[in-house]
Amino acid sequence: MSFVSDKITVYNTINRKKELFVPLHSPFVGLYVCGPTVYGEPHLGHARPAIVFDLIFRYLKFLGYKVRYVRNITDVGHLENDADEGEDKIAKKAQVEQLEPMEVAQFYMDKYHFAMDALNVERPSIEPRASGHIIEQIEMVEQILNNNYAYVSNGSVYFDVEKFDKDFGYGKLSGRVLEELIANSRTLDGQDEKRNPADFALWKKAAPEHIMKWKSPWSIGFPGWHIECTAMSTKYLGKQFDIHGGGMDLLFPHHESEVCQSVVANGKESVRYWIHNNMITINGQKMGKSLGNFITLNEFLTGTHSMLTQAFSPMTIRFFILQAHYRGTLDFSNDALIAAEKGMNKLMEAYHLLKTLKPNTTDINQDTLKASDSLYQKCYDAMNDDFNSPIVIANLFEAVRIINTVQAMKPPMAKENLDSLTNLFDTFLFNILGMKITEDKSAGGNTEDALMQIIISLRGEAKQRKDYTSADNIRDALNKIGITLKDTKEGVEWSK
C-alpha cells in the first residue's frame, strides 16, 4: 500500500512554519540526522532524537517512500568547547583510560547500538563515521578555500563568517545576528588565529601531543566538527536533499555552520526541511552530559540512579518520549515515567485482550466498525500533521474503551470488527510508533494481571446481569487485600 500522494506537513525550522512536505525526487527521500559523539554512556538525551527520527523514518516508509536514512557517528573533531578550543572529547577519554581513541569510539558506539536496539530504534540505511571520511572533508575544505570563503592561519583553516554574512546573510537558521555574536565573544585560546571571533574551524592544526591527526595540504591535524556532516550528507544524499534532523541543541553553532558550508561548497542550501526535536529537561534545565544531570539508559533499565524508585523497561522509555510532541520540551520525573508505564500497559493489555477474544458468526456491528475506522483516520491525520504522536496515542486510548465494550458483549463481535481494531493497533502502536510487546506480555506471562483481567470480567458480567451485590462483593474482597478497582470511561483500572 502506498500513500505517497498524501499531504504531510512538517515544521521547517529554517522558515519557522509548517510546510507541505514535497520530496525532491519522490518516491525517494533523503534523510540525514546528526548521531552521537561516542565518548560516554548513552543517556536519555540520546534516546529522544533517536526515537523521534525513528518515528519519522518508520512513517515515511509506511507511506511508501523509499527512504535513505543517514545517521553519522562523530569519532573525531568534536572539541570540548564549540568555539574551537579544548581537547577532542574522544582523545581526552582515551588518554584518561589509557586506550587508543578508536577503542573508546568502538566501545561506546557498541553501547549506543545496544541501547538503541533495546529501544526498538531501527538502524539507519548508512551510518558513516567521521574518521572514515577525512578525504571527503579535506576536499570540501579545499572547495571552500577555492571559493574564497575560508583562510589559512598557522596551519588551521577557518570559515570567513563575515564575508559569508555580507554575500548571503548569516543566521538564517538559528536567528543569530553576527554583530551580537562578535560583541559577546570571549577571548579564547587560539582565537588570535581568527580574523573574527565568529569564524569557525574547518581544519585544525594538531598540537604535537594530539593523538588523532592526519596529513592535509595545510598541516598535520584534524577536521573541525561542523565539516563532517556537510561532507558526509553530500556524499550519500547529494548536494541537495530532503530532511536534516537533530536536537535543538545543535541548531547553533553546528547546523548554522552546515548551512554556511553547503552554500559555499555546493552552490546552494543543501537542506530543504530542517527538523529539530526539543530537549529533555530535569527541573526545567536541559539534560546533558556536559551539565552532569543526565541519567544513562542503563541506569533506567536497572533502576540504579538516585532519582529513580524502580527499573523501567526500554518500551516504557520509548512510550514516555512519544507521549510528547517532538517539538515540545519533555520534563523528566520518576512519576512521569511511572505514569507512562501505566499508560503503556493499558494499551498492551487491551491488545492482548483483543487477541484472545473469539469472534461470533453474526452480523458485523457497523457502529463499532465505523468507530475503529474513524480512529484509524484520526491517527493517520495526526501523523500527517507534523508527526503528532501524542494525538495518535490519545486515539489509541479511545480504542481501549471500545475494546473493553466489545469484551463485555455477549456474544462477542464479528471477526471484521475485531480485525479492524487489531489493524489499528498493529499499524500505529507497533509499526509506526515502534512499540513492541515484551516477552511476558506476548506469552501471557504476567499472571497477576491475567488473573485480574478475569476477575474484572466476572465483575462486569455480574453488573450486566444487574447482580450488583456480587459485583460489590468482588470489589470489597479485592479492597481487603490491597487492590483497588476504578471505573473509568476507558474501562476498569486496577492498582495496588
Side-chain angles (χ1 to χ4, degrees):
M1 186 181 295
S2 175
F3 298 90
V4 294
S5 62
D6 281 32
K7 295 181 178 180
I8 312 174
T9 57
V10 301
Y11 185 86
N12 193 352
T13 308
I14 202 163
N15 294 327
R16 294 163 181 76
K17 64 180 181 179
K18 286 184 186 179
E19 297 176 350
L20 186 66
F21 177 67
V22 182
L24 269 171
H25 306 293
S26 185
F28 300 97
V29 172
L31 168 63
Y32 186 94
V33 175
C34 290
T37 300
V38 283
Y39 71 106
E41 292 278 347
H43 55 77
L44 194 60
H46 291 123
R48 191 173 196 191
I51 290 169
V52 163
F53 291 100
D54 182 59
L55 172 72
I56 293 172
F57 182 38
R58 286 169 177 272
Y59 189 60
L60 291 173
K61 290 193 298 178
F62 166 76
L63 294 180
Y65 289 110
K66 301 179 187 303
V67 186
R68 178 177 287 176
Y69 177 16
V70 182
R71 185 185 67 205
N72 73 302
I73 295 287
T74 297
D75 57 359
V76 64
H78 194 166
L79 303 186
E80 292 178 292
N81 187 286
D82 289 335
D84 303 321
E85 69 162 346
E87 296 180 72
D88 183 293
K89 293 183 176 183
I90 292 170
K92 182 178 180 180
K93 187 82 170 181
Q95 288 175 328
V96 170
E97 299 189 7
Q98 296 185 315
L99 297 169
E100 282 291 323
M102 287 299 106
E103 282 185 275
V104 172
Q106 188 67 48
F107 179 78
Y108 287 112
M109 185 173 69
D110 289 346
K111 286 212 160 198
Y112 176 79
H113 285 149
F114 178 81
M116 295 307 109
D117 289 345
L119 292 167
N120 206 27
V121 171
E122 293 186 343
R123 296 287 178 101
S125 316
I126 304 171
E127 193 171 48
R129 293 169 66 162
S131 64
H133 295 77
I134 300 297
I135 293 173
E136 289 85 352
Q137 293 175 76
I138 289 174
E139 288 174 349
M140 184 161 278
V141 173
E142 288 180 315
Q143 207 167 2
I144 294 171
L145 275 167
N146 291 339
N147 289 336
N148 298 314
Y149 284 90
Y151 55 91
V152 181
S153 178
N154 193 30
S156 294
V157 183
Y158 293 97
F159 190 94
D160 192 337
V161 172
E162 190 170 23
K163 182 175 181 182
F164 181 88
D165 184 51
K166 288 177 182 176
D167 293 347
F168 301 102
Y170 180 79
K172 185 178 178 182
L173 180 62
S174 65
R176 303 292 179 104
V177 178
L178 181 58
E179 290 78 7
E180 293 176 1
L181 289 176
I182 295 170
N184 295 327
S185 294
R186 297 180 291 125
T187 301
L188 302 170
D189 292 341
Q191 289 284 60
D192 55 346
E193 293 182 347
K194 299 181 181 182
R195 295 176 184 171
N196 188 309
D199 295 346
F200 57 87
L202 299 172
W203 184 267
K204 287 284 286 182
K205 180 181 179 180
E209 67 274 12
H210 199 91
I211 304 174
M212 303 171 76
K213 49 194 173 186
W214 293 263
K215 289 182 180 180
S216 79
W218 318 287
S219 64
I220 294 175
F222 53 93
W225 174 33
H226 312 307
I227 195 69
E228 67 171 274
C229 288
T230 309
M232 292 191 291
S233 63
T234 299
K235 176 171 183 175
Y236 295 110
L237 297 176
K239 291 185 176 181
Q240 195 170 38
F241 57 94
D242 297 300
I243 300 170
H244 192 320
M248 192 69 75
D249 56 330
L250 298 177
L251 190 62
F252 181 86
H254 186 51
H255 290 164
E256 190 69 68
S257 299
E258 284 192 62
V259 172
C260 298
Q261 292 165 164
S262 65
V263 167
V264 173
N266 297 328
K268 63 182 76 173
E269 290 184 16
S270 295
V271 181
R272 301 184 70 239
Y273 302 90
W274 285 93
I275 298 178
H276 291 90
N277 66 274
N278 215 322
M279 299 297 99
I280 294 178
T281 57
I282 296 180
N283 298 323
Q285 185 182 38
K286 173 199 162 188
M287 175 184 286
K289 189 173 181 64
S290 60
L291 298 173
N293 65 348
F294 67 100
I295 303 176
T296 70
L297 292 174
N298 186 61
E299 286 172 327
F300 278 104
L301 302 183
T302 57
T304 52
H305 195 277
S306 60
M307 294 182 70
L308 303 174
T309 59
Q310 63 177 73
F312 292 96
S313 72
M315 287 302 96
T316 299
I317 297 167
R318 185 178 180 103
F319 192 73
F320 168 69
I321 288 171
L322 291 171
Q323 278 186 312
H325 190 270
Y326 76 88
R327 284 193 286 115
T329 54
L330 179 59
D331 199 52
F332 160 81
S333 71
N334 186 78
D335 289 345
L337 274 175
I338 290 173
E341 183 177 61
K342 184 177 179 182
M344 178 193 71
N345 287 339
K346 184 186 290 187
L347 291 176
M348 294 300 182
E349 289 157 8
Y351 182 77
H352 178 70
L353 175 62
L354 188 59
K355 299 294 279 187
T356 61
L357 292 175
K358 297 189 182 302
N360 67 19
T361 56
T362 60
D363 294 336
I364 299 168
N365 185 308
Q366 294 297 333
D367 289 340
T368 300
L369 195 62
K370 285 179 183 177
S372 56
D373 287 347
S374 174
L375 290 175
Y376 190 99
Q377 185 63 48
K378 287 177 180 178
C379 289
Y380 184 52
D381 291 343
M383 286 302 299
N384 281 344
D385 183 14
D386 199 26
F387 315 107
N388 201 325
S389 58
I391 299 298
V392 173
I393 290 170
N395 283 300
L396 291 174
F397 278 124
E398 181 62 22
V400 172
R401 186 187 62 78
I402 296 174
I403 292 167
N404 288 332
T405 302
V406 169
Q407 179 201 17
M409 289 185 172
K410 301 295 178 184
M413 288 192 173
K415 183 177 183 298
E416 288 81 354
N417 292 117
L418 300 181
D419 286 349
S420 178
L421 289 165
T422 301
N423 181 52
L424 174 68
F425 274 68
D426 286 342
T427 300
F428 289 99
L429 183 62
F430 300 116
N431 184 13
I432 294 171
L433 295 185
M435 300 298 295
K436 64 181 180 180
I437 301 171
T438 62
E439 290 182 9
D440 281 347
K441 292 288 183 186
S442 61
N446 190 338
T447 307
E448 181 182 48
D449 186 68
L451 287 171
M452 283 304 305
Q453 292 305 322
I454 292 170
I455 294 168
I456 289 168
S457 179
L458 291 171
R459 178 174 175 263
E461 289 176 9
K463 290 176 77 173
Q464 275 196 317
R465 297 192 307 268
K466 300 188 186 229
D467 183 0
Y468 298 114
T469 301
S470 296
D472 290 344
N473 287 341
I474 292 172
R475 182 198 61 209
D476 294 342
L478 290 171
N479 281 338
K480 287 179 181 178
I481 59 172
I483 295 175
T484 303
L485 296 183
K486 182 180 178 182
D487 294 304
T488 72
K489 64 180 181 179
E490 288 86 14
V492 180
E493 298 178 355
W494 69 275
S495 61
K496 294 195 290 186

